[in-house]
Amino acid sequence: MDTLDLLLHPIRLRIVHAMSGGRICTTGDLCARLPEVPKTTVYRHVGLLADAGVLEVVDEQRVHGAVERHYQLRRERVAIDADAAASMSLGDHRRGFAAAMAVLLAEFSAYLDRDGADPLADSVGYRQGVLWLSPVERAEIIDTVRDALASRAMNEPAQGRRPHLLSMILFPTEERADHRADQPTDYHP
C-alpha cells in the first residue's frame, strides 16, 4: 500500500494522532483511546501501519499467554512529501479532505463526550472566514503560520501539556479571474 492510500484513511489518521508526541502504546491502549471504533478495526489498522513501517515495535511482553506489542510512531513515515503531494489526483485530494473531515468530526465528538468537556475553558475554536489574498500574500501567510507551528511541532508530552488537534484548510472559493469566461478581455487582476 502506498503512503497516500495508507494515510488518507480516517481510522489510520486517528491512530497516528493518538501516537503523537513520542507515545508508546499497545493496541489495547489505542482501543481505549478510540472507544467508538471496534477493537477488530483498530487491530487491523495498527497491523497495516506496522507492516508499512509507520508504527515500530519497540517492546514485546507476554501477557496471559499472548504477545503484547508496544508501538511507537515513526514521524518521518507519516509525512506526505512534496513529490507525493504533486502526484495526487483531484480524487486523491477529495479523499484526503474527506478523511481529514471525518477525523475532525470523530475527534470533536469524542472530546464533547468526555466527562468535564469545557469548550470555553479549553479555547476550542472552529472559525471560518474568507481572506482576499494575492499569490504573494497567500505565500506570506502560509510561511508565517508554518513558522509558528514549526516552533511547537516537536513538543513532547510534559507536565501541563496535552495534545490539541489543529486542522488548517486553505483553498480558493472562486476560479482565478483569468480562467473565468465572464471576465472582460481587458480585465487584469
Side-chain angles (χ1 to χ4, degrees), residues 16-144:
V16 166
H17 292 166
M19 297 291 297
S20 68
R23 288 182 173 154
I24 295 174
C25 297
T26 65
T27 306
D29 296 333
L30 291 168
C31 288
R33 288 177 198 244
L34 307 172
E36 70 286 356
V37 179
K39 289 181 181 185
T40 55
T41 300
V42 174
Y43 274 87
R44 183 174 67 251
H45 289 292
V46 165
L48 288 169
L49 291 167
D51 289 346
V54 171
L55 297 181
E56 176 180 25
V57 177
V58 294
D59 189 28
E60 292 182 338
Q61 296 177 357
R62 279 236 178 262
V63 177
H64 305 294
V67 175
E68 181 180 65
R69 291 181 177 88
H70 294 77
Y71 297 97
Q72 187 169 32
L73 182 68
R74 294 181 61 201
R75 289 178 57 111
E76 73 278 4
R77 299 296 299 259
V78 296
I80 296 175
D81 63 23
D83 290 338
S87 73
M88 289 174 67
S89 69
L90 295 179
D92 290 335
H93 283 283
R94 187 170 279 117
R95 259 186 332 123
F97 187 83
M101 294 303 98
V103 168
L104 279 176
L105 184 57
E107 293 290 351
F108 193 66
S109 293
Y111 163 75
L112 292 175
D113 290 344
R114 277 188 228 132
D115 289 338
D118 188 345
L120 184 62
D122 291 333
S123 301
V124 170
Y126 38 89
R127 292 177 181 85
Q128 291 183 350
V130 175
L131 301 174
W132 289 76
L133 303 169
S134 70
V136 169
E137 292 167 326
R138 183 185 63 220
E140 289 172 351
I141 200 167
I142 288 169
D143 287 344
T144 300

Side-chain angles (χ1 to χ4, degrees), residues 143-154 166 168:
D143 287 344
T144 300
V145 171
R146 190 176 287 147
D147 290 346
L149 295 176
S151 71
R152 300 284 186 247
M154 299 308 286
L166 175 67
M168 299 186 46

